[in-house]
Amino acid sequence: MSVERVRVGDVLELRRRPVTVELDAEYYEIGVRSFGRGIFHKEPVSGADLGNKRVFFVEPGDLVISNVFAWEGAIGVASEDDAGRIGSHRFMTFVPKDARIDTSWAAWFFLSEPGLSLIRTASPGSAGRNRTLAIDRFEAIEVPLPPIEEQRHVARRLGGFAGDVRQLERLAVKAGVLSDAISVSATSRPDLDDRAKSASGWSRVELGDLLKANNDEVAVEPSASYDIAGVYSFGRGMFPRTRLDGAQTSYRRIRRVHAGQLVMSRLKAWEGALAIVPEDLSGFFVSPEFPTFDIDASQVEPHFLGSVVKAEPFWSRLKGVSHGIGARRERVSAQKLLEQTLWLPPIDEQRRLLQLVELSEVAAARRSEVGELLAALVPAALNQAFSQLN
């Protein structure tokens, strides 16, 4: 296969189609996601809201490049679905000068390691928004160009492969939603009304009957170091945060957590920052903003309770009992948490339902592994397709 080296500006040209904005008209803007995720559609906007913003029509087949985020793969090709939509001056639209280049091939090339390296070299700067790809620098890039039929063959093959991968990713997301729903259903049984739950041995209890505050506070020694843990929002559990020297913190006392305890972030409990302490974080420390509770294991399995409180139907209730103005000032007190009620099945039933939850968690871990593999497939295919060009 013969490959010639050409300047981008010799085969592609910038095509601007200015929009005369009418105040009472409605317009549909596009954006370009980074990391090769393609073009997306924004919510419709009125001409009055656009104001003096310079916007241009996008047409199918355009090579669309974000001049601000091209360096991280904000590059795509407009499809028929994008016809008649508009983009700001930040989105450069290029079309072929002649029949030597296919814009779909060009997009895939610039998303590969060899192509993205050229884009980054042409986008100088140290910070994201300072790494702007200027038109003249893009046009000065020299690329290896195979024959047009080879380009089209590669573009079709990569397009089909990427479409299959995206479909698998959508299925994985759907499976995740269904799996999470299984956990919520297993621990709260929304299919049963209160009478049915009561008849099945479930009882309505306050968390205060299951939890006892146990804030294992220790004095901070300036000469000591402490492993600090945090709690993710949205029921995603705990994580190791950092190792902190005592001399670096203004806290005089911090709290040590123990496996099996319930920990709550007062600041973010209303968005799901509650978790059961796992074994590998036992002995870590949290700030005084994290109340910790021992769990009465004779009444409730700690991991069953953890599954209940990390689910949105539970923690969304805490937003109504938080105090303060603005998201960063809203706090949930330990007492307000303890006042919350929930339906609790008998302990043997809890253990049986936990088996379903654990299977769901195993499946989630497998999906995470699959997700990482899927994310690597398209970049690997791109590099295989373009690494041999010289």
Side-chain angles (χ1 to χ4, degrees), residues 203-213 260 262 293-302 304-306 308-309 314 337-345 347 350:
S203 57
R204 188 86 176 179
V205 298
E206 282 193 356
L207 278 182
D209 296 330
L210 308 175
L211 303 177
K212 180 180 180 181
L262 176 69
F293 306 89
D294 289 337
I295 299 172
D296 183 353
S298 67
Q299 297 188 71
V300 61
E301 285 282 345
F304 182 89
L305 181 61
V308 173
V309 301
F314 177 84
L337 175 68
L338 295 176
E339 290 173 1
Q340 299 303 307
T341 62
L342 54 86
W343 278 98
L344 198 64
I347 194 76
Q350 293 176 38

Side-chain angles (χ1 to χ4, degrees), residues 33 53 61 75 90 93 108 132 142 151 209 227 256 266 283 299 314 330 336 349 357 373:
R33 295 185 180 91
K53 184 178 180 180
I75 300 168
R90 291 293 187 185
T93 50
W108 288 121
T132 301
E142 190 176 86
Q151 294 177 44
D209 296 330
D227 291 319
R256 181 165 37 215
R266 292 202 307 131
Q299 297 188 71
F314 177 84
E330 293 185 3
K336 289 297 183 183
E349 178 70 0
V357 174
L373 290 174

Side-chain angles (χ1 to χ4, degrees), residues 16 54 56 65-68 87-92 132:
R16 293 295 202 189
R54 289 192 297 138
F56 304 88
I65 303 174
S66 165
N67 69 347
V68 178
S88 76
H89 69 285
R90 291 293 187 185
F91 298 104
M92 305 183 295
T132 301

Side-chain angles (χ1 to χ4, degrees), residues 17 25 64 70 111 205 218 244 340:
R17 309 176 188 93
V64 185
L111 290 172
V205 298
V218 300
L244 182 69
Q340 299 303 307

Side-chain angles (χ1 to χ4, degrees), residues 165-185:
V165 171
R166 284 193 292 270
Q167 177 64 10
L168 289 173
E169 290 174 334
R170 286 191 289 268
L171 291 174
V173 170
K174 185 177 181 180
V177 172
L178 293 174
S179 180
D180 290 343
I182 290 173
S183 295
V184 173
S185 296

